[in-house]
Amino acid sequence: MVTASAPGKLYLFGEHAVVYGEPAVAAAIDRRATVTVEARDDDHLRVDSEDLTLDGFTVEYGRAAEEDPDVDVSESLIEAATGYVDAAVEQARDAADAPEAGFDVTIESEIPLGAGLSSSAAVTVAAIYAATRELGVELTPGEVAERAYRVEYEVQEGNASRTDTFCSATGGAVRVEGEDRESLDAPELPLVVGFDGGAGDTGALVAGVRDLKDTYDFAADTVDVVGDLARRGEEVLLDGDLEELGDLMDFNHGLLSALGVSSRSLDAMVWAARDAGALGAKLTGAGGGGCVVALDETEETETALRYLPGCEEVFRAALDTEGVRIE
Ligand code: PMV
């Protein structure tokens, strides 16, 4: 039996534009998904999930297509929860050259699902790491990141960048641009996360931005400007200039809003943070609902968000420099 964990992450700059080859800057945070894997003596998968967003459930199924999961929850929920695990296990089987391997998989996550904090990447990274170890193969974080990216690419039907999986596998702050991935030597940041309790549909949101970009030159220009912001944001992050970092986050949120991926509740949280004196605030991830990230060294933003109707959860997040690890 092997247990591995991997961190969630948030985007400081560049979500959506990164899908079109622009740079993005993201930071791993101290909220992790933990996956325990135990080899079975048949080729079945049994997935037990316990996390913040889903009520716990257990599902067991065989490898043959006709062996559907036998469980009393909706199909879309099962697909969402098991799609990544399924594909992650396939990657582990491939890496270990053990196509018939079966596993009992237990997932515990502190990361809200589909809320812009990369819960799926963290689960995928931890699952690949644990399952390969269980089969006697030791992958580097870079190899895990690459295999996890293939999983996201497949499950999200091509709508995935390498940011989430690389950041979750390596930890710390990262810059991703196309196939280039780099760890950044970032200072500790006073991050506050607000969560509206909802989730966005990443595929639909990415498709919406693509449509706008294909229809209007000014939307394509907006995507390019998000890339410029991420380039500047990287420099400012490395300099540790929090004031300017906040200004750039505000700007990035405005552009994401123009691209149609914010929402009333995300805007409300962003404005509550700004009114409370945050240095800057923006949505993180695909948008549509989920989380915002604000920069504030004081308690003011946390207090303001805590009392904001529509904000379900508030927490302070620290940069997590440790990526995937065995527990
Ligand atoms: O919501 P998340 O954390 O899955 O982020 C999605 C960010 C996008 O740029 C829209 C897609 C991607 O994979 O980079």
Side-chain angles (χ1 to χ4, degrees), residues 192-223:
V192 180
V193 176
F195 175 39
D196 68 7
D201 177 341
T202 303
L205 290 153
V206 170
V209 172
R210 182 173 286 127
D211 273 357
L212 269 181
K213 187 172 120 38
D214 292 346
T215 309
Y216 301 114
D217 287 347
F218 54 78
D221 292 345
T222 305
V223 170

Side-chain angles (χ1 to χ4, degrees), residues 9 11 15-16 18-19 116-118 159-161 163-164 202 206 285-286:
K9 68 105 210 18
Y11 271 99
E15 53 272 86
H16 284 285
V18 71
V19 174
L117 300 181
S118 300
N159 293 319
S161 72
T163 321
D164 297 14
T202 303
V206 170

Side-chain angles (χ1 to χ4, degrees), residues 62-297:
R63 298 200 63 208
E66 66 274 14
E67 291 184 64
D68 284 336
D70 176 19
V71 70
D72 190 22
V73 287
S74 82
E75 213 169 288
S76 61
L77 184 64
I78 293 295
E79 270 177 28
T82 60
Y84 292 97
V85 180
D86 253 358
V89 163
E90 243 352 288
Q91 286 294 331
R93 287 173 174 144
D94 181 62
D97 204 12
E100 305 289 319
F103 301 97
D104 287 339
V105 179
T106 306
I107 303 166
E108 286 166 280
S109 178
E110 305 167 336
I111 311 164
L113 262 191
L117 300 181
S118 300
S119 57
S120 55
V123 167
T124 303
V125 163
I128 293 175
Y129 202 54
T132 44
R133 281 288 177 106
E134 178 73 352
L135 296 173
V137 172
E138 203 163 316
L139 299 182
T140 63
E143 288 166 334
V144 176
E146 184 54 33
R147 287 188 177 274
Y149 169 66
R150 283 187 228 157
V151 168
E152 288 223 321
Y153 192 87
E154 180 188 320
V155 178
Q156 293 168 203
E157 294 169 348
N159 293 319
S161 72
R162 294 172 184 275
T163 321
D164 297 14
T165 40
F166 179 64
C167 193
S168 186
T170 59
V174 304
R175 173 195 209 273
V176 171
E177 182 170 2
E179 302 214 341
D180 293 341
R181 287 145 279 165
E182 199 187 318
S183 292
L184 301 176
D185 191 11
E188 190 49 70
L189 298 170
L191 303 168
V192 180
V193 176
F195 175 39
D196 68 7
D201 177 341
T202 303
L205 290 153
V206 170
V209 172
R210 182 173 286 127
D211 273 357
L212 269 181
K213 187 172 120 38
D214 292 346
T215 309
Y216 301 114
D217 287 347
F218 54 78
D221 292 345
T222 305
V223 170
D224 292 348
V225 175
V226 172
D228 292 340
L229 254 168
R231 282 182 202 95
R232 174 81 191 177
E234 179 192 350
E235 287 170 23
V236 171
L237 174 68
L238 296 177
D239 286 349
D241 182 341
L242 296 186
E243 296 261 341
E244 188 175 344
L245 201 65
D247 290 345
L248 297 181
M249 287 167 66
D250 282 340
F251 209 121
N252 198 163
H253 182 77
L255 296 177
L256 288 166
S257 204
L259 291 170
V261 299
S262 191
S263 70
R264 194 180 283 270
S265 57
L266 293 174
D267 283 344
M269 291 190 287
V270 161
W271 278 106
R274 290 174 184 166
D275 288 346
L279 297 172
K282 65 182 278 293
L283 68 83
T284 169
C291 292
V292 300
V293 53
L295 274 192
D296 193 353
E297 272 161 338

